Amino acid sequence: MLLILNIQKISALLNWGRADIFLLPCPIKYLLGFDCPGCGFQRSVLALLNGNFLQSFQLYPATIPFLLSLVAGLGTWAFKLNQEAKWLKAMYFFTGFVVVVSYLYKMLFHHIH
């Protein structure tokens, strides 16, 4: 019986479908009434965790580049690699470029979720 309860608890934790109740509200959207450059990231990560890659990209195109840049940056820091490497700076630049372009597209074409 105890094993069944533990399995149920673990499966409840892995149910990403109900994780949306823990999303943080955007203070910029709350105060100013329009999306910030990071709006949609949390929902995009949840869609990615559920395996919905297309929905994740539609919600926030910079999610995958951001997460890859984060892992690369933390990896270079943790393993004490060259943090001034050109490839790392290129990843950061590309991620920032995707954030800016997707935000401008969202604001210009009123593509708001």
Side-chain angles (χ1 to χ4, degrees):
M1 184 68 173
L2 184 61
L3 179 64
I4 293 172
L5 290 175
N6 285 337
I7 291 172
Q8 288 175 345
K9 287 179 184 178
I10 291 171
S11 66
L13 288 174
L14 295 178
N15 184 6
W16 299 111
R18 292 294 304 148
D20 60 342
I21 60 175
F22 297 107
L23 297 180
L24 300 173
C26 178
I28 292 176
K29 189 169 186 170
Y30 176 76
L31 293 173
L32 302 177
F34 57 87
D35 287 356
C36 74
C39 279
F41 178 73
Q42 294 177 91
R43 290 176 287 137
S44 177
V45 169
L46 284 179
L48 193 62
L49 291 173
N50 284 323
N52 300 327
F53 297 103
L54 181 61
Q55 182 185 13
S56 174
F57 180 78
Q58 290 171 341
L59 287 169
Y60 194 72
T63 298
I64 292 175
F66 178 79
L67 293 175
L68 290 174
S69 295
L70 179 69
V71 168
L74 290 174
T76 56
W77 174 77
F79 295 114
K80 303 207 183 337
L81 301 174
N82 182 10
Q83 294 180 1
E84 300 296 320
K86 289 182 181 180
W87 65 270
L88 190 59
K89 288 182 181 182
M91 284 183 75
Y92 294 155
F93 179 79
F94 178 73
T95 301
F97 179 76
V98 173
V99 168
V100 170
V101 169
S102 64
Y103 182 67
L104 289 175
Y105 177 80
K106 185 192 315 186
M107 290 296 107
L108 291 174
F109 297 105
H110 305 288
H111 187 263
I112 299 172
H113 296 293

